[in-house]
């Protein structure tokens, strides 16, 4: 039931504060910032203690969640982490090293390529292999075939475009990073306390970001006749740029590409002219000054900038620049909050162009054949 919403996708975007809150509560008791809940993945502590390497396998939006997790794992625990789309991983005879944790991320748990890639890693029988399903469907094949099940408590996702599944995947991945960090003493108490506190603020920040809806709807009017669009981000926002581009092409049928902003000069800058909208994910983080230089590069080539910036950055919009201010959020968790504006942008562009938002042409919710 869509209730008061015109589409399932919009309803699911609005469900994110609650869905993320439920997911976080698996591991954190309200108000507690000193430790994770004792029962969180407790049965699997021995398995998690032994892993020395992480391999993430997924498709589409779930792959983008894995890309964010790579930054988190390597930064916070210093465990090496590789991420690959399942359709490539399964056909290139990859090396699965001993003591690997293979994380399969999938909303449905039935994606053919992801399942097949998982089975391939199991066939290699490396010593100490542990497999984990990060999944929204407890009864799925993926959950049945893995050692550990980490649920996303998003509730059923009906819209083909993944929204609340993505943000709950990110929240659950952060919990997993913390669990492994604590189990292997790879994260100090101060950092843990800070992140647990920040995680508890997330539902409120997501709720506040929904208030940007009207401003983003206005912004979306500039995209109606566009043929192509670039999404830029750096660091933790690079995967969100990819996700924003995927969302836009999937439901509005406008060609879009996500790029690491530092790659502009290596090719995509040649595309930029006055007809090219460029969406920039620009929180005030450690990459902000570098990103500002990238924005100047496209602005100087007459590109039209659509910037999602931190409230506190007080960035002033110049000519051919539109700024929407996103609530301030700590750098580590910013990709979760910045997912909302890119979802809302693609939603409004699609509605304006009159596409079938919940069931875009040629796509299925669950890709059970390769
Ligand atoms: O069910 P899964 O998470 O395994 O699905 C993977 C992709 O098919 C999925 O994320 C797809 O990219 C979404 N429709 C994007 O919105």
């Amino acid at each position: 039931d869509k209730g008061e919403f015109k589409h399932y996708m919009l309803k699911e975007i609005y469900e994110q504060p609650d869905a993320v809150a439920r997911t976080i509560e698996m591991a954190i008791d309200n108000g507690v910032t000193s430790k994770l809940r004792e029962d969180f993945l407790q049965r699997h502590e021995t398995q998690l203690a032994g892993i020395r390497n992480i391999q993430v396998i997924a498709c589409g939006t779930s792959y983008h969640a894995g890309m964010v997790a790579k930054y988190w794992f390597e930064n916070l625990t210093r465990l090496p982490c590789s991420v690959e789309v399942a359709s490539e991983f399964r056909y290139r005879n990859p090396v699965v090293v001993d003591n690997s944790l293979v994380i399969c991320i999938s909303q449905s748990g039935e994606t053919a390529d992801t399942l097949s890639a998982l089975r391939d890693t199991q066939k290699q029988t490396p010593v100490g292999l542990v497999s984990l399903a990060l999944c929204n469907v407890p009864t799925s094949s993926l959950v049945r075939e893995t050692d550990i099940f980490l649920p996303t408590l998003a509730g059923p996702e009906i819209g083909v475009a993944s929204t609340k599944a993505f943000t709950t995947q990110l929240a659950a991945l952060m919990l997993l990073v913390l669990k492994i960090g604590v189990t292997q003493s790879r994260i100090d108490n101060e950092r843990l306390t800070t992140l647990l506190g920040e995680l508890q603020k997330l539902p409120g920040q997501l709720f506040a970001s929904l208030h940007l809806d009207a401003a983003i709807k206005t912004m979306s009017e500039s995209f109606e006749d566009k043929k192509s669009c670039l999404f830029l981000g750096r660091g933790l926002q690079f995967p969100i740029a990819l996700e924003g581009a995927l969302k836009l092409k999937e439901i509005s049928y406008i060609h879009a590409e996500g790029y690491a902003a530092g790659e502009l000069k290596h090719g995509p800058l040649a595309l930029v002219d006055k007809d090219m909208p460029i969406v920039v994910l620009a929180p005030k983080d450690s990459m902000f000054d570098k990103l500002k230089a990238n924005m100047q590069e496209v602005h100087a080539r007459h590109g039209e900038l659509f910037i999602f910036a931190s409230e506190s950055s007080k960035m002033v919009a110049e000519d051919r620049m539109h700024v929407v201010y996103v609530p301030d959020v700590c750098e580590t968790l910013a990709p979760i909050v910045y997912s909302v504006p890119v979802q809302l942008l693609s939603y409004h562009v699609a509605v304006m162009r009159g596409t079938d938002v919940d069931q875009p042409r040629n796509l299925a919710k669950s890709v059970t054949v390769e």
Side-chain angles (χ1 to χ4, degrees), residues 118-301:
L118 165 71
R119 290 172 191 147
D120 288 348
T121 64
Q122 291 167 336
K123 260 186 234 145
Q124 288 193 28
T125 58
V127 175
L129 176 76
V130 180
S131 58
L132 181 147
L134 176 55
C135 187
N136 202 35
V137 182
T139 51
S140 63
S141 310
L142 190 68
V143 173
R144 276 200 306 276
E145 295 187 31
T146 37
D147 304 316
I148 305 179
F149 170 38
L150 177 56
T152 45
L153 302 182
E157 192 181 64
I158 311 294
V160 165
S162 193
T163 53
K164 61 177 179 168
F166 181 61
T167 44
T168 53
Q169 282 167 353
L170 290 176
L173 282 163
M174 176 45 78
L175 301 177
L176 180 64
V177 170
L178 295 179
K179 179 71 187 179
I180 293 172
V182 169
T183 308
Q184 299 197 8
S185 305
R186 287 174 175 271
I187 191 159
D188 61 57
N189 282 338
E190 200 186 317
R191 213 164 198 193
L192 178 71
T193 303
T194 308
L195 283 168
L196 292 180
E198 293 294 342
L199 274 165
Q200 293 180 56
K201 287 191 220 155
L202 250 186
Q205 289 161 335
L206 288 168
F207 187 72
S209 67
L210 293 170
H211 291 140
L212 306 176
D213 200 357
I216 293 173
K217 189 171 178 203
T218 307
M219 196 185 234
S220 70
E221 287 162 15
S222 307
F223 289 72
E224 189 169 0
D225 305 321
K226 295 292 190 255
K227 300 269 175 294
S228 185
C229 173
L230 278 180
F231 282 73
L232 301 178
R234 297 189 78 127
L236 280 160
Q237 296 295 336
F238 168 44
I240 307 306
L242 295 177
E243 174 58 9
L246 173 59
K247 220 90 297 179
L248 190 72
K249 66 187 127 188
E250 183 179 25
I251 58 168
S252 77
Y253 314 153
I254 294 176
H255 171 255
E257 270 191 82
Y259 249 98
E263 279 287 294
L264 268 175
K265 283 200 180 85
H266 302 285
L269 203 52
L271 288 169
V272 176
D273 62 12
K274 64 175 183 22
D275 298 320
M276 173 66 92
I278 295 137
V279 181
V280 190
L281 296 151
K284 205 164 179 314
D285 59 15
S286 55
M287 300 305 286
F288 186 57
D289 288 337
K290 299 264 175 221
L291 189 70
K292 269 206 292 207
N294 300 136
M295 287 193 263
Q296 277 152 9
E297 283 163 0
V298 287
H299 201 235
R301 272 94 186 164

Side-chain angles (χ1 to χ4, degrees), residues 59-62 105-109 111 160-162 246-247 250 367:
C59 301
T61 290
S62 298
I105 309 176
S106 175
Q107 187 286 130
S108 61
T111 300
V160 165
S162 193
L246 173 59
K247 220 90 297 179
E250 183 179 25
V367 185

Side-chain angles (χ1 to χ4, degrees), residues 30-80:
N30 203 6
V32 176
T33 56
S34 53
K35 57 179 175 50
L36 289 165
R37 278 172 61 147
E38 258 157 40
D39 57 357
F40 178 58
L41 296 175
Q42 194 177 26
R43 284 195 304 127
H44 302 290
E45 275 167 10
T46 316
Q47 284 162 309
L48 295 178
I51 58 161
R52 295 290 173 265
N53 177 68
I54 291 152
Q55 174 69 59
V56 181
I57 306 166
C59 301
T61 290
S62 298
Y63 167 67
H64 297 150
M67 287 181 70
V68 174
K70 175 184 167 71
Y71 283 78
W72 285 340
F73 270 117
E74 297 202 339
N75 240 315
L76 296 169
T77 71
R78 306 305 293 155
L79 283 166

